[in-house]
Amino acid sequence: MRSFVLIATCCWSLTLAAQPSTQVAWTAEQLNFVKAGNPAAGEALAKSCGGCHGDKGISVTGAYPSLAGQLATYLYKQLQDYANGDRQDVIMGGIAKGLSKQDAANLAVWYASQTPAFQSRSVMVYQAAETLVKSGDRERILPPCEVCHGSSGQGQVMDMPALSGQAASYTTAALKAFKSGERHNDIYGRMRLIAENLTNEEIEQLGFYYQNTGK
């Protein structure tokens, strides 16, 4: 079944391939560049980010994402997307444009090295979300979320972000932004295609599901 949904997702992706959603290309050279980032230099730069993302990368409010434990490649790509205008935010756009690529790599590896966030558990029932995460929905051609984001929401190679422990309100807002097209820096439009087929209730359940995943 997983082979089927992966193929289906790839087919969807081809339909949106005409417009590049990012200017970051994951070549071996690019991957090695991010991997070689300097965490000590990143820690020094991150001191100015603590007001929104917390001193150790754990945000105190769902308005801003926790960055601790996130994939370095994902963080680097987001900073480049903000700088290039492929992901739009007034505050982050300005900040990212002031960073060199080396700064972005340094920040990315430092945040990736920090202990991931874990929010308080919620009593919310999220059976629909659990089904979507583990099994997807064949009728809507929705692949299981864990295929890309891992069985524990830990994220996977390059640009499949970690979701576990992230505040439910942030994950929900991000999915709704993909659904509306407001956010469009996902490669091949993968998340837009998936989010468009989710109900708002499912999106909110997924937010709580991942908030409660990780411990």
Side-chain angles (χ1 to χ4, degrees):
M1 178 178 176
R2 294 194 175 184
S3 297
F4 164 75
V5 293
L6 282 171
I7 291 170
T9 300
C10 291
C11 291
W12 283 344
S13 302
L14 289 173
T15 65
L16 294 181
Q19 296 293 327
S21 56
T22 181
Q23 298 175 49
V24 176
W26 288 119
T27 61
E29 181 181 12
Q30 183 70 86
L31 289 168
N32 288 331
F33 175 75
V34 176
K35 185 178 179 181
N38 183 331
E43 181 177 15
L45 281 171
K47 294 185 185 306
S48 62
C49 310
C52 294
H53 298 291
D55 292 339
K56 296 293 185 181
I58 299 177
S59 176
V60 296
T61 168
Y64 307 107
S66 290
L67 307 179
Q70 186 55 270
L71 301 182
T73 45
Y74 176 77
L75 293 175
Y76 177 83
K77 177 184 178 297
Q78 299 311 304
L79 285 170
Q80 293 308 298
D81 287 350
Y82 279 127
N84 295 329
D86 295 319
R87 183 175 177 182
Q88 296 174 345
D89 181 88
V90 173
I91 297 174
M92 281 307 303
I95 292 172
K97 287 177 182 174
L99 298 172
S100 67
K101 291 184 178 179
Q102 186 63 62
D103 290 336
N106 295 343
L107 279 166
V109 295
W110 184 74
Y111 277 120
S113 71
Q114 301 304 296
T115 302
F118 180 72
Q119 307 290 329
S120 298
R121 289 191 182 279
S122 165
V123 296
M124 182 175 182
V125 175
Y126 35 71
Q127 184 176 355
E130 188 165 5
T131 298
L132 286 168
V133 169
K134 298 184 180 304
S135 304
D137 187 325
R138 192 177 182 89
E139 290 187 0
R140 288 183 285 174
I141 321 181
L142 291 172
C145 306
E146 67 178 24
V147 169
C148 292
H149 296 285
S151 58
S152 299
Q154 75 276 20
Q156 301 201 74
V157 293
M158 295 187 285
D159 63 341
M160 309 295 187
L163 303 176
S164 60
Q166 194 65 261
S169 56
Y170 180 79
T171 300
T172 296
L175 281 170
K176 288 183 176 179
F178 279 125
K179 182 174 182 175
S180 70
E182 174 188 350
R183 181 171 171 181
H184 45 76
N185 69 323
D186 51 326
I187 295 177
Y188 303 133
R190 292 173 300 204
M191 278 311 304
R192 279 171 285 171
L193 287 164
I194 292 171
E196 284 171 4
N197 285 281
L198 296 173
T199 66
N200 286 338
E201 181 179 358
E202 288 172 335
I203 286 174
E204 290 174 5
Q205 282 197 26
L206 284 166
F208 281 103
Y209 176 88
Y210 279 114
Q211 175 176 290
N212 293 345
T213 301
K215 266 189 179 180

